[in-house]
mmCIF file of all heavy atoms in Angstrom:
data_model
loop_
_atom_site.group_PDB
_atom_site.id
_atom_site.type_symbol
_atom_site.label_atom_id
_atom_site.label_comp_id
_atom_site.label_asym_id
_atom_site.label_seq_id
_atom_site.Cartn_x
_atom_site.Cartn_y
_atom_site.Cartn_z
ATOM 1 N N GLN A 408 -25.189 60.896 42.402
ATOM 2 C CA GLN A 408 -25.898 61.937 43.155
ATOM 3 C C GLN A 408 -26.398 63.041 42.230
ATOM 4 O O GLN A 408 -25.783 63.313 41.200
ATOM 5 C CB GLN A 408 -24.947 62.582 44.173
ATOM 6 C CG GLN A 408 -24.682 61.734 45.377
ATOM 7 C CD GLN A 408 -23.665 62.377 46.292
ATOM 8 O OE1 GLN A 408 -23.056 63.387 45.928
ATOM 9 N NE2 GLN A 408 -23.502 61.815 47.461
ATOM 10 N N ASN A 409 -27.470 63.668 42.652
ATOM 11 C CA ASN A 409 -27.980 64.792 41.877
ATOM 12 C C ASN A 409 -27.230 66.059 42.292
ATOM 13 O O ASN A 409 -27.749 66.933 42.974
ATOM 14 C CB ASN A 409 -29.492 64.951 42.102
ATOM 15 C CG ASN A 409 -30.057 66.023 41.192
ATOM 16 O OD1 ASN A 409 -29.457 66.376 40.178
ATOM 17 N ND2 ASN A 409 -31.212 66.564 41.561
ATOM 18 N N ALA A 410 -25.967 66.111 41.905
ATOM 19 C CA ALA A 410 -25.112 67.258 42.229
ATOM 20 C C ALA A 410 -23.924 67.181 41.294
ATOM 21 O O ALA A 410 -23.736 66.181 40.610
ATOM 22 C CB ALA A 410 -24.644 67.188 43.684
ATOM 23 N N CYS A 411 -23.107 68.239 41.275
ATOM 24 C CA CYS A 411 -21.885 68.163 40.490
ATOM 25 C C CYS A 411 -20.870 67.364 41.296
ATOM 26 O O CYS A 411 -20.554 67.715 42.432
ATOM 27 C CB CYS A 411 -21.344 69.568 40.196
ATOM 28 S SG CYS A 411 -19.758 69.493 39.333
ATOM 29 N N LEU A 412 -20.371 66.255 40.730
ATOM 30 C CA LEU A 412 -19.478 65.390 41.491
ATOM 31 C C LEU A 412 -18.070 65.977 41.623
ATOM 32 O O LEU A 412 -17.269 65.508 42.419
ATOM 33 C CB LEU A 412 -19.409 64.002 40.847
ATOM 34 C CG LEU A 412 -20.706 63.195 40.924
ATOM 35 C CD1 LEU A 412 -20.568 61.882 40.180
ATOM 36 C CD2 LEU A 412 -21.095 62.925 42.375
ATOM 37 N N PHE A 413 -17.796 67.020 40.844
ATOM 38 C CA PHE A 413 -16.478 67.646 40.930
ATOM 39 C C PHE A 413 -16.463 68.738 41.999
ATOM 40 O O PHE A 413 -15.410 69.268 42.339
ATOM 41 C CB PHE A 413 -16.092 68.224 39.563
ATOM 42 C CG PHE A 413 -14.672 68.722 39.484
ATOM 43 C CD1 PHE A 413 -13.602 67.845 39.655
ATOM 44 C CD2 PHE A 413 -14.402 70.058 39.260
ATOM 45 C CE1 PHE A 413 -12.295 68.301 39.592
ATOM 46 C CE2 PHE A 413 -13.092 70.522 39.199
ATOM 47 C CZ PHE A 413 -12.032 69.639 39.364
ATOM 48 N N ALA A 414 -17.617 69.051 42.537
ATOM 49 C CA ALA A 414 -17.761 70.203 43.443
ATOM 50 C C ALA A 414 -16.737 70.202 44.576
ATOM 51 O O ALA A 414 -16.172 71.241 44.914
ATOM 52 C CB ALA A 414 -19.173 70.241 44.003
ATOM 53 N N SER A 415 -16.453 69.027 45.145
ATOM 54 C CA SER A 415 -15.567 68.986 46.310
ATOM 55 C C SER A 415 -14.146 69.419 45.963
ATOM 56 O O SER A 415 -13.362 69.754 46.853
ATOM 57 C CB SER A 415 -15.561 67.574 46.899
ATOM 58 O OG SER A 415 -15.006 66.683 45.949
ATOM 59 N N ARG A 416 -13.785 69.415 44.678
ATOM 60 C CA ARG A 416 -12.416 69.768 44.291
ATOM 61 C C ARG A 416 -12.374 71.085 43.518
ATOM 62 O O ARG A 416 -11.325 71.449 42.997
ATOM 63 C CB ARG A 416 -11.822 68.650 43.424
ATOM 64 C CG ARG A 416 -11.831 67.295 44.110
ATOM 65 C CD ARG A 416 -11.499 66.189 43.146
ATOM 66 N NE ARG A 416 -10.084 66.157 42.806
ATOM 67 C CZ ARG A 416 -9.544 65.242 41.992
ATOM 68 N NH1 ARG A 416 -10.303 64.318 41.442
ATOM 69 N NH2 ARG A 416 -8.262 65.275 41.723
ATOM 70 N N CYS A 417 -13.508 71.768 43.433
ATOM 71 C CA CYS A 417 -13.621 72.893 42.495
ATOM 72 C C CYS A 417 -13.492 74.226 43.224
ATOM 73 O O CYS A 417 -14.060 74.410 44.301
ATOM 74 C CB CYS A 417 -14.969 72.796 41.782
ATOM 75 S SG CYS A 417 -15.180 74.021 40.494
ATOM 76 N N ARG A 418 -12.751 75.161 42.626
ATOM 77 C CA ARG A 418 -12.567 76.488 43.226
ATOM 78 C C ARG A 418 -13.784 77.372 43.001
ATOM 79 O O ARG A 418 -13.990 78.358 43.677
ATOM 80 C CB ARG A 418 -11.326 77.160 42.646
ATOM 81 C CG ARG A 418 -10.026 76.600 43.208
ATOM 82 C CD ARG A 418 -8.858 77.428 42.750
ATOM 83 N NE ARG A 418 -8.640 77.263 41.319
ATOM 84 C CZ ARG A 418 -8.455 78.284 40.482
ATOM 85 N NH1 ARG A 418 -8.431 79.510 40.930
ATOM 86 N NH2 ARG A 418 -8.268 78.052 39.193
ATOM 87 N N HIS A 419 -14.587 77.017 41.989
ATOM 88 C CA HIS A 419 -15.702 77.889 41.619
ATOM 89 C C HIS A 419 -17.019 77.419 42.209
ATOM 90 O O HIS A 419 -18.073 77.818 41.772
ATOM 91 C CB HIS A 419 -15.826 77.931 40.086
ATOM 92 C CG HIS A 419 -14.533 78.247 39.400
ATOM 93 N ND1 HIS A 419 -14.063 79.540 39.282
ATOM 94 C CD2 HIS A 419 -13.600 77.448 38.831
ATOM 95 C CE1 HIS A 419 -12.898 79.515 38.647
ATOM 96 N NE2 HIS A 419 -12.591 78.251 38.366
ATOM 97 N N VAL A 420 -16.956 76.546 43.208
ATOM 98 C CA VAL A 420 -18.176 75.896 43.670
ATOM 99 C C VAL A 420 -19.148 76.886 44.299
ATOM 100 O O VAL A 420 -18.754 77.819 45.000
ATOM 101 C CB VAL A 420 -17.836 74.753 44.652
ATOM 102 C CG1 VAL A 420 -17.157 75.291 45.898
ATOM 103 C CG2 VAL A 420 -19.060 73.931 45.008
ATOM 104 N N THR A 421 -20.447 76.720 43.991
ATOM 105 C CA THR A 421 -21.520 77.512 44.600
ATOM 106 C C THR A 421 -22.582 76.560 45.112
ATOM 107 O O THR A 421 -22.505 75.357 44.885
ATOM 108 C CB THR A 421 -22.171 78.460 43.574
ATOM 109 O OG1 THR A 421 -22.660 77.668 42.494
ATOM 110 C CG2 THR A 421 -21.179 79.486 43.060
ATOM 111 N N ASP A 422 -23.602 77.086 45.787
ATOM 112 C CA ASP A 422 -24.670 76.245 46.327
ATOM 113 C C ASP A 422 -25.375 75.472 45.225
ATOM 114 O O ASP A 422 -25.783 74.324 45.401
ATOM 115 C CB ASP A 422 -25.702 77.107 47.073
ATOM 116 C CG ASP A 422 -25.110 77.619 48.371
ATOM 117 O OD1 ASP A 422 -24.057 77.072 48.779
ATOM 118 O OD2 ASP A 422 -25.675 78.560 48.952
ATOM 119 N N GLN A 423 -25.505 76.133 44.073
ATOM 120 C CA GLN A 423 -26.182 75.504 42.942
ATOM 121 C C GLN A 423 -25.508 74.182 42.547
ATOM 122 O O GLN A 423 -26.172 73.210 42.232
ATOM 123 C CB GLN A 423 -26.156 76.474 41.768
ATOM 124 C CG GLN A 423 -27.077 76.087 40.642
ATOM 125 C CD GLN A 423 -26.996 77.088 39.495
ATOM 126 O OE1 GLN A 423 -26.004 77.812 39.349
ATOM 127 N NE2 GLN A 423 -28.050 77.155 38.713
ATOM 128 N N CYS A 424 -24.161 74.163 42.613
ATOM 129 C CA CYS A 424 -23.400 72.971 42.223
ATOM 130 C C CYS A 424 -23.750 71.787 43.112
ATOM 131 O O CYS A 424 -23.743 70.646 42.680
ATOM 132 C CB CYS A 424 -21.907 73.237 42.321
ATOM 133 S SG CYS A 424 -21.369 74.630 41.335
ATOM 134 N N LEU A 425 -24.006 72.071 44.421
ATOM 135 C CA LEU A 425 -24.290 70.987 45.358
ATOM 136 C C LEU A 425 -25.754 70.581 45.328
ATOM 137 O O LEU A 425 -26.117 69.515 45.806
ATOM 138 C CB LEU A 425 -23.911 71.430 46.785
ATOM 139 C CG LEU A 425 -22.444 71.818 46.954
ATOM 140 C CD1 LEU A 425 -22.195 72.453 48.317
ATOM 141 C CD2 LEU A 425 -21.558 70.590 46.774
ATOM 142 N N ALA A 426 -26.592 71.443 44.739
ATOM 143 C CA ALA A 426 -28.045 71.198 44.786
ATOM 144 C C ALA A 426 -28.528 70.388 43.592
ATOM 145 O O ALA A 426 -29.518 69.664 43.702
ATOM 146 C CB ALA A 426 -28.797 72.524 44.853
ATOM 147 N N ALA A 427 -27.875 70.509 42.457
ATOM 148 C CA ALA A 427 -28.391 69.809 41.275
ATOM 149 C C ALA A 427 -27.278 69.481 40.318
ATOM 150 O O ALA A 427 -26.256 70.170 40.259
ATOM 151 C CB ALA A 427 -29.437 70.684 40.575
ATOM 152 N N ARG A 428 -27.466 68.387 39.567
ATOM 153 C CA ARG A 428 -26.489 67.994 38.572
ATOM 154 C C ARG A 428 -26.502 68.997 37.431
ATOM 155 O O ARG A 428 -27.562 69.313 36.896
ATOM 156 C CB ARG A 428 -26.875 66.602 38.042
ATOM 157 C CG ARG A 428 -25.955 66.116 36.953
ATOM 158 C CD ARG A 428 -26.322 64.715 36.511
ATOM 159 N NE ARG A 428 -25.513 64.361 35.352
ATOM 160 C CZ ARG A 428 -25.484 63.167 34.807
ATOM 161 N NH1 ARG A 428 -26.232 62.200 35.310
ATOM 162 N NH2 ARG A 428 -24.735 62.921 33.757
ATOM 163 N N PRO A 429 -25.357 69.542 37.049
ATOM 164 C CA PRO A 429 -25.350 70.556 35.993
ATOM 165 C C PRO A 429 -25.723 69.959 34.637
ATOM 166 O O PRO A 429 -25.260 68.868 34.298
ATOM 167 C CB PRO A 429 -23.905 71.067 35.985
ATOM 168 C CG PRO A 429 -23.112 69.994 36.634
ATOM 169 C CD PRO A 429 -24.017 69.287 37.585
ATOM 170 N N PRO A 430 -26.581 70.658 33.875
ATOM 171 C CA PRO A 430 -26.919 70.191 32.531
ATOM 172 C C PRO A 430 -25.787 70.536 31.571
ATOM 173 O O PRO A 430 -24.872 71.290 31.926
ATOM 174 C CB PRO A 430 -28.173 70.978 32.192
ATOM 175 C CG PRO A 430 -28.017 72.254 32.956
ATOM 176 C CD PRO A 430 -27.240 71.933 34.200
ATOM 177 N N GLU A 431 -25.840 69.993 30.373
ATOM 178 C CA GLU A 431 -24.817 70.316 29.394
ATOM 179 C C GLU A 431 -25.074 71.691 28.813
ATOM 180 O O GLU A 431 -26.106 71.910 28.178
ATOM 181 C CB GLU A 431 -24.799 69.264 28.270
ATOM 182 C CG GLU A 431 -23.961 68.072 28.609
ATOM 183 C CD GLU A 431 -23.781 67.147 27.429
ATOM 184 O OE1 GLU A 431 -24.006 67.564 26.282
ATOM 185 O OE2 GLU A 431 -23.417 65.982 27.682
ATOM 186 N N ALA A 432 -24.163 72.582 29.025
ATOM 187 C CA ALA A 432 -24.298 73.917 28.454
ATOM 188 C C ALA A 432 -23.612 73.935 27.103
ATOM 189 O O ALA A 432 -22.512 73.418 26.955
ATOM 190 C CB ALA A 432 -23.656 74.942 29.381
ATOM 191 N N GLN A 433 -24.297 74.514 26.110
ATOM 192 C CA GLN A 433 -23.694 74.565 24.788
ATOM 193 C C GLN A 433 -22.805 75.801 24.685
ATOM 194 O O GLN A 433 -23.247 76.923 24.902
ATOM 195 C CB GLN A 433 -24.783 74.609 23.721
ATOM 196 C CG GLN A 433 -24.204 74.561 22.332
ATOM 197 C CD GLN A 433 -25.198 73.977 21.341
ATOM 198 O OE1 GLN A 433 -26.377 73.811 21.632
ATOM 199 N NE2 GLN A 433 -24.723 73.675 20.150
ATOM 200 N N VAL A 434 -21.550 75.575 24.388
ATOM 201 C CA VAL A 434 -20.615 76.686 24.269
ATOM 202 C C VAL A 434 -20.596 77.161 22.817
ATOM 203 O O VAL A 434 -20.711 78.335 22.530
ATOM 204 C CB VAL A 434 -19.203 76.258 24.708
ATOM 205 C CG1 VAL A 434 -18.230 77.425 24.604
ATOM 206 C CG2 VAL A 434 -19.233 75.705 26.116
ATOM 207 N N SER A 435 -20.423 76.183 21.919
ATOM 208 C CA SER A 435 -20.556 76.487 20.511
ATOM 209 C C SER A 435 -21.239 75.273 19.881
ATOM 210 O O SER A 435 -21.682 74.379 20.594
ATOM 211 C CB SER A 435 -19.191 76.751 19.876
ATOM 212 O OG SER A 435 -18.418 75.571 19.951
ATOM 213 N N LEU A 436 -21.290 75.222 18.562
ATOM 214 C CA LEU A 436 -22.065 74.180 17.896
ATOM 215 C C LEU A 436 -21.677 72.779 18.372
ATOM 216 O O LEU A 436 -22.516 71.947 18.666
ATOM 217 C CB LEU A 436 -21.869 74.301 16.374
ATOM 218 C CG LEU A 436 -22.774 73.384 15.555
ATOM 219 C CD1 LEU A 436 -24.240 73.747 15.768
ATOM 220 C CD2 LEU A 436 -22.402 73.456 14.085
ATOM 221 N N GLN A 437 -20.376 72.529 18.454
ATOM 222 C CA GLN A 437 -19.929 71.179 18.824
ATOM 223 C C GLN A 437 -19.308 71.107 20.217
ATOM 224 O O GLN A 437 -18.755 70.104 20.597
ATOM 225 C CB GLN A 437 -18.878 70.697 17.806
ATOM 226 C CG GLN A 437 -19.462 70.346 16.469
ATOM 227 C CD GLN A 437 -18.448 69.592 15.644
ATOM 228 O OE1 GLN A 437 -17.998 68.527 16.029
ATOM 229 N NE2 GLN A 437 -18.077 70.157 14.511
#
Side-chain angles (χ1 to χ4, degrees):
Chain A
Q408 284 176 352
N409 186 20
C411 176
L412 292 176
F413 188 63
S415 64
R416 303 169 75 178
C417 185
R418 284 188 291 132
H419 309 279
V420 63
T421 57
D422 289 345
Q423 193 181 22
C424 303
L425 301 171
R428 178 177 173 173
E431 275 189 18
Q433 184 154 12
V434 181
S435 64
L436 188 63
Q437 287 193 61

